[in-house]
Amino acid sequence: MTGFHISSDEEIKSGKTTDIYFDRTEKILDSEGLSDKKVTVEVTASSLPEEWPWAVISGLDEVAELFEGVPVDVEAVPEGTIFSPYDSSGVRVPLIKIKGAYRDFCSLETPMLGMLCHSSGVSTKSARVRKVAGDKNVLAFGIRRMHPAIAPMLDRAAFIGGADSVSSIAGAEEIGQDPLGTMPHALMIMMGDQVKAWKSFDEVVSEEVPRIALADTYSDEKEEVIRAAEALKDRLDGVRLDTPSSRRGNFPELIREVRWELDIRGFEDVGIVVSGGLDEYSIPQLIEAGADSFGVGTSVTNAPVLNLAMDIVEVEGKFAAKRGKLSGEKDVWRCKVCSETMVSLSSDGKPECSKCGGETEDMFEPLVEDGELVREFSEPEEIRERVISQLENFEMEESFPSTFD
């Protein structure tokens, strides 16, 4: 075999990437004359990874693409919605509803869940990093840890979750932003001298690109930071510490030392960018130590996927569900005042908020109607802002490990 091990758009839409039992189900339904039997299905999460209290749904744009041309109706919450698996009364919160002949779309369950589970996991991890980083800059650059074919999806999901920028060229094009990054250790090694590398970067690279000197290639971080400041002077925007774990010791103390040495030499405006194995657990202590920006890679792109499932809840308009799931078509409501989420049977109508009594709004919006796309998707930047605005109403878990203790 030659070429890359990836599926084409046509292979995905035609069901070639589904589980084999759906292919067999189609044959049985055809044989038994049940091809036209209509159902209502829901997509829900029964739990979240690592006891996360909430998650961000993303990947709905690809779901819309997947169901285009399929004779079904699809409704979904807005992309970038933050949700908890259960509402205040313990009912699973549906994220997507699909209505149509089950035979027409059962083979798309596997790719649909794959799109949602993977993208939403990345967006959620990114949002968790954004939550703890506050107004500090977050750069997503973990694409080297995953297959390059999905680099645009990974960067889009990370950006939607709250990252300020992404490092890949294709990912930046996907979200309509400029790619950002510093310089690799390989540049210093190829130049044979850190100062030559920093100066060449300053001379060759566009003025629009911040001058961030990687300062940990050969010698002590403090020494390299001082040399970078003396070499570029007021042209230096920041220094990046990508110190390997085997050499870090107490990383917050290292950052405090670097911050001190820069400040006493008049480089108070030079920022400190840190990278290497960072996540939402390590970042708070690094902020306290004086770090300004964070390059977050593996923890975001390799985030745990969400555990989403699709289940039939009605057959030909009658209640039907496997054990452990609640039958009946449902709607999801969110309070306009306190953001409380409630689930009700669609036949029950609009409820008041069970928490504060405020007015609620229906979270579901049409996505596909009889195979035709009917929703215009927001730009990634707008979805990102939606996520960040919701973060104010969602807290992290109470038990939060301290990385450097």
Side-chain angles (χ1 to χ4, degrees):
M1 178 179 177
T2 59
F4 302 119
H5 301 292
I6 56 176
S7 299
S8 67
D9 290 5
E10 178 55 35
E11 287 173 324
I12 295 171
K13 287 179 70 71
S14 66
K16 288 289 290 294
T17 62
T18 198
D19 295 296
I20 186 60
Y21 61 18
F22 288 120
D23 182 68
R24 294 165 182 162
T25 296
E26 289 178 350
K27 290 181 172 64
I28 294 169
L29 292 176
D30 290 343
S31 174
E32 296 294 329
L34 299 174
S35 300
D36 295 329
K37 202 167 191 178
K38 290 181 167 49
V39 299
T40 298
V41 305
E42 295 175 345
V43 174
T44 61
S46 58
S47 62
L48 296 178
E50 301 175 1
E51 299 184 355
W52 293 344
W54 48 265
V56 178
I57 187 73
S58 68
L60 287 171
D61 61 326
E62 290 191 316
V63 171
E65 184 76 19
L66 181 67
F67 283 98
E68 184 178 18
V70 181
V72 296
D73 295 335
V74 184
E75 295 179 71
V77 300
E79 185 158 33
T81 294
I82 298 181
F83 70 96
S84 295
Y86 297 87
D87 75 353
S88 56
S89 60
V91 178
R92 283 190 179 92
V93 175
L95 303 168
I96 297 176
K97 289 193 293 188
I98 305 172
K99 297 179 181 180
Y102 185 67
R103 168 64 175 80
D104 288 336
F105 68 92
C106 68
S107 66
L108 299 181
E109 175 179 337
T110 299
M112 176 190 68
L113 292 177
M115 292 168 176
L116 290 171
C117 293
H118 197 174
S119 180
S120 299
V122 173
S123 291
T124 302
K125 191 72 169 181
S126 181
R128 288 171 60 84
V129 170
R130 168 51 55 201
K131 179 74 173 179
V132 301
D135 60 357
K136 302 297 184 182
N137 188 60
V138 176
L139 168 66
F141 60 25
I143 56 169
R144 66 182 61 193
R145 300 290 182 249
M146 299 294 281
H147 198 289
I150 59 173
M153 182 280 289
L154 292 170
D155 276 346
R156 179 182 184 274
F159 182 74
I160 284 175
D164 294 286
S165 52
V166 302
S167 64
S168 82
I169 298 170
E173 290 177 352
E174 179 75 19
I175 62 176
Q177 303 285 322
D178 293 325
L180 292 182
T182 57
M183 59 185 68
H185 290 100
L187 177 61
M188 258 63 69
I189 296 172
M190 290 299 296
M191 297 292 292
D193 178 87
Q194 302 97 307
V195 174
K196 287 182 181 179
W198 298 326
K199 287 187 174 181
S200 292
F201 186 98
D202 184 39
E203 293 169 0
V204 173
V205 177
S206 167
E207 292 281 346
E208 298 175 356
V209 177
R211 272 46 184 162
I212 310 292
L214 181 58
D216 61 5
T217 303
Y218 286 123
S219 54
D220 180 77
E221 287 78 7
K222 176 168 68 174
E223 177 189 350
E224 291 206 15
V225 163
I226 293 172
R227 292 178 66 189
E230 292 174 343
L232 297 187
K233 296 183 172 52
D234 60 354
R235 293 181 61 77
L236 183 66
D237 294 299
V239 293
R240 175 179 159 216
L241 307 180
D242 190 49
T243 308
S245 58
S246 62
R247 305 295 179 91
R248 278 183 181 175
N250 188 317
F251 201 28
E253 284 304 308
L254 188 154
I255 293 170
R256 287 188 180 94
E257 186 177 349
V258 167
R259 181 74 272 162
W260 176 274
E261 298 298 335
L262 286 170
D263 290 351
I264 64 174
R265 287 169 172 78
F267 293 99
E268 297 92 343
D269 293 333
V270 172
I272 297 177
V273 182
V274 292
S275 58
L278 305 184
D279 57 20
E280 70 269 40
Y281 305 115
S282 58
I283 286 174
Q285 295 166 79
L286 302 181
I287 292 176
E288 184 180 349
D292 303 290
S293 300
F294 302 91
V296 184
T298 303
S299 67
V300 170
T301 52
N302 293 31
V305 299
L306 297 197
N307 181 23
L308 303 178
M310 188 183 90
D311 296 285
I312 294 174
V313 295
E314 288 189 2
V315 177
E316 293 291 344
K318 297 180 179 180
F319 296 149
K322 71 177 186 180
R323 62 179 183 171
K325 300 297 174 77
L326 302 181
S327 59
E329 181 184 349
K330 305 170 194 69
D331 290 326
V332 180
W333 305 87
R334 180 160 287 179
C335 179
K336 294 181 179 180
V337 179
C338 69
S339 296
E340 182 78 359
T341 300
M342 288 152 289
V343 178
S344 67
L345 280 174
S346 296
S347 58
D348 287 347
K350 181 177 181 177
E352 286 187 349
C353 177
S354 58
K355 185 177 181 180
C356 74
E359 183 182 359
T360 59
E361 58 184 344
D362 189 354
M363 293 292 288
F364 279 121
E365 300 174 353
L367 187 66
V368 175
E369 292 182 355
D370 195 23
E372 182 179 349
L373 301 183
V374 294
R375 183 186 301 185
E376 292 187 7
F377 278 89
S378 304
E379 293 297 321
E381 189 167 1
E382 184 178 342
I383 301 173
R384 176 180 179 273
E385 291 303 317
R386 180 184 302 146
V387 171
I388 292 174
S389 66
Q390 293 172 84
L391 281 175
E392 299 177 2
N393 297 314
F394 290 85
E395 298 301 325
M396 304 289 274
E397 54 270 32
E398 292 182 5
S399 178
F400 216 57
S402 179
T403 303
F404 303 105
D405 286 351

